[in-house]
Amino acid sequence: MFKFWGSQEQQAQPRPQDSTSQSWYPPSVVSSPGSSRPSTPSSTSSGSFNYFSQSTPHVSPTEASGIINHLKDKSVDELRKLLSDKEAYHQFLLSLDQVKIQNNIRDELRKETLQLARMNLEKEPQIIELKNQCMIIRTTELAAAQEKLSELERQKEEIMKLFSSSSLIQKLQGSMRKTEEESEALHQKLLDREVDFGTFVQKYKKLRTTYHKRALIQLSVKTSATG
């Protein structure tokens, strides 16, 4: 937005008695030959133009030239009205192309903001529903899933223990002791003449073969565990 002589900053200063003597037109425009604009003292015009330049640091030379083009065809009475009538000044300000562009951009941004706000409000029930579903999942389904996961992890640990090297060695040792006891019991039956020699040889050979197979497996497991 452009700041002109009639802005609030300038209104805070005492109103001059002669508005034409405070014109903020450049001296070249005010004192141009054949112009219908009132001539002003050079010192006053220079001071007013300096104030205009200082109070509008963001106005480019092109924009300033465009504003001057809007003013140069106005009569003295029209210029005086702009300086004294706030409504006339306001209407003139709104007629500037730069102001129209800024107002259009502002209106577009306002429309987009309102559209986004409406979209957010329309999605609010859906967002609340999703939050409620997440809460239900946390309190029910998630708790059940965590409990199931803990049970599966416990089963996994038990299975891993069953197939660990130490567990396998213990099982092999137990089986070997059992086979050894069965072999000794069979030998005792032979001594007590409870079985004939042919039956003893057949059963005893089978037991000892099983025993030595398990012994070899145990040795292999121990070697793998230590290696």
Side-chain angles (χ1 to χ4, degrees), residues 27 29 45 69 89 103 131 145 168 180 187 194 206-207 213 225:
V29 176
S45 299
N69 286 334
Y89 170 79
N103 286 341
K131 286 183 177 179
L168 184 57
E180 185 69 22
H187 183 259
E194 295 181 4
K206 185 177 180 180
L207 288 172
K213 283 182 179 179

Side-chain angles (χ1 to χ4, degrees), residues 54-214:
Q54 293 174 2
S55 63
T56 57
H58 299 295
V59 178
S60 66
T62 304
E63 293 173 338
S65 176
I67 296 172
I68 292 172
N69 286 334
H70 279 79
L71 292 170
K72 69 180 181 179
D73 295 328
K74 293 186 179 296
S75 64
V76 175
D77 291 337
E78 289 175 333
L79 293 175
R80 286 176 176 171
K81 186 175 181 180
L82 288 177
L83 295 174
S84 59
D85 189 336
K86 179 184 280 189
E87 182 61 26
Y89 170 79
H90 182 67
Q91 293 300 324
F92 168 75
L93 189 65
L94 294 178
S95 68
L96 297 176
D97 293 337
Q98 296 90 336
V99 177
K100 290 179 179 179
I101 293 172
Q102 291 187 7
N103 286 341
N104 290 335
I105 294 174
R106 179 200 62 193
D107 293 339
E108 289 297 325
L109 291 175
R110 182 180 297 172
K111 289 179 181 178
E112 292 178 3
T113 303
L114 290 174
Q115 184 177 0
L116 290 174
R118 291 191 186 98
M119 292 174 60
N120 290 336
L121 289 175
E122 291 174 357
K123 292 180 179 179
E124 187 174 3
Q126 183 179 358
I127 294 173
I128 294 175
E129 179 63 23
L130 290 174
K131 286 183 177 179
N132 293 334
Q133 292 180 7
C134 290
M135 184 64 65
I136 294 173
I137 291 173
R138 285 197 193 99
T139 55
T140 57
E141 297 181 15
L142 180 60
Q146 287 179 337
E147 184 178 355
K148 185 176 181 180
L149 178 61
S150 299
E151 176 63 21
L152 291 174
E153 288 180 347
R154 186 185 63 79
Q155 294 178 7
K156 174 188 172 184
E157 292 296 329
E158 292 179 355
I159 293 172
M160 292 298 292
K161 288 179 181 179
L162 291 175
F163 291 95
S164 64
S165 299
S166 58
S167 176
L168 184 57
I169 290 172
Q170 289 178 359
K171 289 181 178 181
L172 288 170
Q173 288 175 347
S175 298
M176 289 169 63
R177 283 194 298 267
K178 184 178 180 181
T179 305
E180 185 69 22
E181 291 173 356
E182 290 177 355
S183 299
E184 291 179 357
L186 182 61
H187 183 259
Q188 185 64 39
K189 287 181 178 181
L190 177 63
L191 295 177
D192 295 338
R193 298 181 183 276
E194 295 181 4
V195 293
D196 59 72
F197 185 75
T199 303
F200 167 78
V201 172
Q202 184 180 2
K203 289 184 177 181
Y204 190 80
K205 182 180 178 181
K206 185 177 180 180
L207 288 172
R208 299 316 297 174
T209 301
T210 301
Y211 175 87
H212 289 294
K213 283 182 179 179
R214 290 171 179 172

